[in-house]
Amino acid sequence: MQISDLPYPDPGVPDARSGPRFLLWLGRGQLGGQAKSLAWGLLHHCGIAGLPFAVGFGVEAVVKGDGRRLLLVGALIVLLGIAISVGDAMLHRTAVTNWITAAARVQQLLARRTAELGAALTRRVAAGEVVAVSTGDVEKIGWFVEAVSRFLAAALAIVIVCVGLVVYAPALGVVVAVGMPVLALASLPLLPRATRRADFQREKAGRATELASDTVAGLRVLRGIGGEELFLGRYREASQQVRSAAVRSARMWALISAIQVFLPGLLLITVVWYGSSLVLAGRLDIGELVAVFSAVSLMLYPLRNVEEIAMAYSFSRPSAQRAARVLSLTRTDAEAEGAAEPGTGSGIGIGIGRDPVVPDAPAPGGDLYDPETGLLVPAGRLTAVVCGDPDVAGRLAERLGGQPVPTGGGTAEEPSVLLGGVALDDLALDTARTLVLVQDKDPVLLSGTLRELFDVPASGGVEPAAALAAAQCADVLEALLQSAPDGVTDPMDARITERGRSLSGGQCQRLALARSLVTDPEVLVLDEPTSAVDSHTEARIADGIRALRTGRTTVVLASSPLLLDRADRVVLVHEGRALPPGTHRELLRDEPRYRAVVTREPDRPDRVGRPDRVGRPDPSGTGMDRLEEELTEIEESA
């Protein structure tokens, strides 16, 4: 195990049934590194423990005037010094390697689970919790994994010293052998209370962080309504609660530290008092007393590892529990049912008892079918879907992309979407996401150059220039060039700031659309891809999508008449079911529920001609005529 081995090709299938089990799984995965750290730790601590004996032998040699023995003692001290130095350096190296390896493995697992779950993750776990687990909690978990080997080395060294003292000076060694376990276990009764206080402090700190994040995100609104002082007061109160909880937690850990100082001091006093009486009685040599006293003094150093392992566990246990909660999430209920004991299966979850049967990818050109709504998307066509409710549209988009969505209020998952008769849930994750790409209504742009933005897995059939043209990004390229440093002449080398903050919402939306078009998947699902652009640009984008995706399956979830009018077929999803399809103008004329969603006209009980949104006639047909006139005007101007 070396840091150079990171990242692992496969970090493994974690045991995420609980926090302690997850820590145990991490430890088992690093037995080689733990063994190295334990060996070097033993060398270091045993070198320290051997110094008192060497000093005791030296004192006896001086008292007896044995020069040859004194030289041997000097050589022994030199060897012990080398062992202490080499052991300490290598112990630090191997321990830090264990820490970094454990932290990196947890981060790999979290990243893999985040990629597997996609948008379903934030429906089950708050995004802030995922960030907290992948940052602060990862360090605490690595700290415990690293501290285990050093604690074991210290504990073994203490046992070896106690046994050695009993053999070297039985009368006094028995006192030390009895006192050392008492010192090590004295603080254990206080650990549960210290852990509870530490957990309470972390909970308060998390709430204060969430409040601060919400305040920063809504600062513009707060200033508009004059609410800065109100939220400042709330944060001040939350901050004081964190301070109070931290003080209470620090008091308990200070008490534990005090015990770790007081009791060893008491043992030293006992050793000196009882040892002196044994020397006066002639039952103990002065050299043996010096050796025992020195051994007890030096053993206070490995005793600190007992306190450290207690602190590391108390802090890492809730962190491991949070990590296990995220890692135990699965794509489907079928995986969750199969996730029993940790194994070596290739499934996703806590562990899969047997390898699932993964079907082959469907042949190209298959229809996309959603059993939940009855929506059928013919292959090679541009299909527009109208839902009316944005939340319903968002869930439908996720489902079409192979992300199972929990049914209302329950834990059961909706039926899987079929592509060419094959369930997307049953396909390997990489295969499913290669076949179907979903762009949600709030796409994210990562910082970097425009060239890096388009450096995504793609079929190679669509060039970035064609995608940018289809998405009407000419003004975006110009804006990026204007803000680029001197010397940048190619807009593909211009940099995009974090989340595209230097661009408007419409510009970000069009760049994200161009990125999706470049990938050229077999099925492309777009959720409100033009909600932030003006009507004239929207019409040109609709034409660009239609032209660029000719012969490819495209689904657009929208209620914009401009997009709907360019679709080959339009489907209305009403009360969770897909109604018979048609063209935009056919449905606008014949389907009142469709017209109610698209035109958004208020009910007029005096209409007696054409049917309105609730089926009453509209003599003038004002709403539909006006809509058709607007469509014609925009088409001519575009």
Side-chain angles (χ1 to χ4, degrees):
M1 179 196 65
Q2 299 292 335
I3 295 179
S4 59
D5 297 333
L6 301 174
Y8 289 115
D10 181 9
V13 179
D15 185 350
R17 289 175 290 177
S18 66
R21 288 179 182 270
F22 180 59
L23 291 174
L24 181 61
W25 177 84
L26 278 176
R28 287 203 307 264
Q30 296 179 211
L31 291 178
Q34 296 285 5
K36 292 179 181 179
S37 184
L38 176 61
W40 291 115
L42 281 174
L43 178 64
H44 173 64
H45 287 298
C46 289
I48 294 176
L51 284 177
F53 295 97
V55 171
F57 293 146
V59 171
E60 291 180 0
V62 171
V63 170
K64 296 179 180 180
D66 189 345
R68 182 173 176 276
R69 187 177 182 182
L70 188 60
L71 289 175
L72 293 176
V73 169
L76 177 60
I77 292 177
V78 171
L79 291 176
L80 291 175
I82 295 174
I84 293 172
S85 300
V86 174
D88 187 28
M90 297 305 298
L91 171 62
H92 178 75
R93 179 184 179 88
T94 53
V96 171
T97 299
N98 288 335
W99 184 334
I100 295 176
T101 302
R105 176 171 287 178
V106 176
Q107 287 179 325
Q108 273 190 266
L109 291 169
L110 291 170
R112 185 177 69 173
R113 189 49 43 89
T114 301
E116 289 166 352
L117 294 175
L121 176 63
T122 53
R123 289 199 309 268
R124 305 180 187 183
V125 181
E129 182 174 352
V130 178
V131 174
V133 170
S134 61
T135 53
D137 287 338
V138 164
E139 292 188 4
K140 295 181 178 67
I141 292 172
W143 176 27
F144 174 74
V145 173
E146 173 262 339
V148 167
S149 57
R150 289 192 290 108
F151 163 72
L152 292 176
L156 288 175
I158 291 174
V159 171
I160 293 173
V161 169
C162 290
V163 172
L165 290 177
V166 170
V167 174
Y168 179 68
L172 196 55
V174 172
V175 176
V176 177
V178 173
M180 280 295 179
V182 175
L183 297 182
L185 302 176
S187 58
L188 288 183
L190 299 177
L191 289 180
R193 181 176 297 181
T195 301
R196 287 195 297 270
R197 291 190 179 186
D199 291 344
F200 183 74
Q201 176 193 351
R202 283 191 291 272
E203 179 183 353
K204 291 296 183 182
R207 291 179 180 176
T209 301
E210 291 177 2
L211 181 59
S213 300
D214 292 342
T215 303
V216 171
L219 188 59
R220 181 177 301 178
V221 178
L222 290 177
R223 288 176 175 173
I225 63 176
E228 301 101 315
E229 290 299 326
L230 174 62
F231 275 82
L232 181 61
R234 291 181 179 178
Y235 181 75
R236 185 181 293 112
E237 180 182 357
S239 178
Q240 290 301 313
Q241 291 177 354
V242 175
R243 183 194 63 81
S244 176
V247 170
R248 293 184 70 249
S249 178
R251 286 174 180 169
M252 184 56 62
W253 289 112
L255 177 59
I256 293 175
S257 298
I259 291 175
Q260 294 292 329
V261 172
F262 173 74
L263 292 182
L266 188 61
L267 179 61
L268 282 175
I269 294 173
T270 302
V271 167
V272 172
W273 173 78
Y274 184 60
S276 300
S277 64
L278 291 177
V279 171
L280 293 176
R283 298 172 54 190
L284 190 70
D285 293 335
I286 186 66
E288 294 175 336
L289 176 60
V290 171
V292 174
F293 176 81
S294 301
V296 174
S297 300
L298 292 176
M299 280 303 97
L300 301 184
Y301 169 66
L303 273 176
R304 296 175 187 172
N305 289 276
V306 178
E307 179 185 359
E308 182 192 12
I309 194 66
M311 292 183 64
Y313 181 74
S314 66
F315 280 98
S316 65
R317 182 185 55 79
S319 296
Q321 187 64 44
R322 285 191 288 268
R325 184 164 58 250
V326 174
L327 295 175
S328 63
L329 299 176
T330 56
R331 290 176 61 205
T332 64
D333 280 349
E335 290 175 1
E337 292 172 0
E341 295 296 324
T344 58
S346 60
I348 303 167
I350 302 172
I352 308 298
R354 56 185 177 85
D355 290 345
V357 178
V358 180
D360 296 332
D367 296 338
L368 186 67
Y369 176 68
D370 177 25
E372 177 67 19
T373 60
L375 173 65
L376 176 65
V377 180
R381 307 284 296 278
L382 173 57
T383 302
V385 180
V386 179
C387 294
D389 185 350
D391 292 335
V392 174
R395 289 195 295 270
L396 177 58
E398 292 177 5
R399 199 163 57 246
L400 293 177
Q403 294 289 352
V405 182
T407 55
T411 57
E413 302 284 352
E414 297 174 348
S416 174
V417 169
L418 305 178
L419 179 61
V422 178
L424 289 180
D425 285 353
D426 295 338
L427 294 174
L429 186 63
D430 292 343
T431 303
R433 291 190 175 170
T434 300
L435 294 171
V436 183
L437 173 67
V438 178
Q439 177 182 303
D440 60 25
K441 63 185 67 177
D442 297 312
V444 176
L445 300 182
L446 302 179
S447 60
T449 65
L450 192 58
R451 196 181 309 279
E452 292 170 342
L453 178 69
F454 287 100
D455 186 17
V456 293
S459 67
V462 177
E463 294 295 329
L468 289 167
Q472 300 298 309
C473 294
D475 63 316
V476 183
L477 301 180
E478 183 179 351
L480 289 174
L481 272 181
Q482 290 177 352
S483 61
D486 295 338
V488 177
T489 58
D490 187 350
M492 297 299 291
D493 295 326
R495 294 194 64 82
I496 301 173
T497 57
E498 179 188 2
R499 301 180 69 89
R501 298 185 189 278
S502 61
L503 302 173
S504 67
Q507 290 173 328
C508 290
Q509 193 174 58
R510 281 177 282 161
L511 279 181
L513 174 60
R515 178 180 58 187
S516 299
L517 293 174
V518 163
T519 61
D520 190 34
E522 181 175 336
V523 179
L524 176 61
V525 181
L526 304 172
D527 187 6
E528 294 288 355
T530 58
S531 59
V533 301
D534 61 82
S535 56
H536 296 282
T537 305
E538 186 177 31
R540 292 192 293 268
I541 291 176
D543 291 333
I545 294 175
R546 182 181 179 87
L548 199 62
R549 294 285 300 172
T550 299
R552 308 288 271 172
T553 306
T554 307
V555 183
V556 180
L557 292 101
S559 58
S560 168
L562 294 169
L563 287 176
L564 300 174
D565 194 45
R566 272 121 175 117
D568 296 323
R569 61 202 304 271
V570 181
V571 180
L572 172 66
V573 176
H574 180 69
E575 295 182 353
R577 297 300 299 174
L579 301 184
T583 66
H584 168 61
R585 296 177 188 265
E586 290 172 350
L587 294 178
L588 197 64
R589 181 183 63 248
D590 301 332
E591 177 54 68
R593 291 168 293 187
Y594 177 81
R595 187 165 57 252
V597 175
V598 175
T599 63
R600 297 181 177 88
E601 290 188 346
D603 293 340
R604 294 206 22 208
D606 58 334
R607 292 176 179 171
V608 294
R610 276 178 165 175
D612 66 1
R613 68 167 66 190
V614 293
R616 288 188 288 269
D618 178 4
S620 62
T622 305
M624 197 172 77
D625 289 343
R626 184 170 64 250
L627 189 59
E628 291 177 349
E629 291 174 0
E630 292 177 357
L631 287 172
T632 303
E633 179 184 349
I634 292 173
E635 288 173 352
E636 292 175 351
S637 63

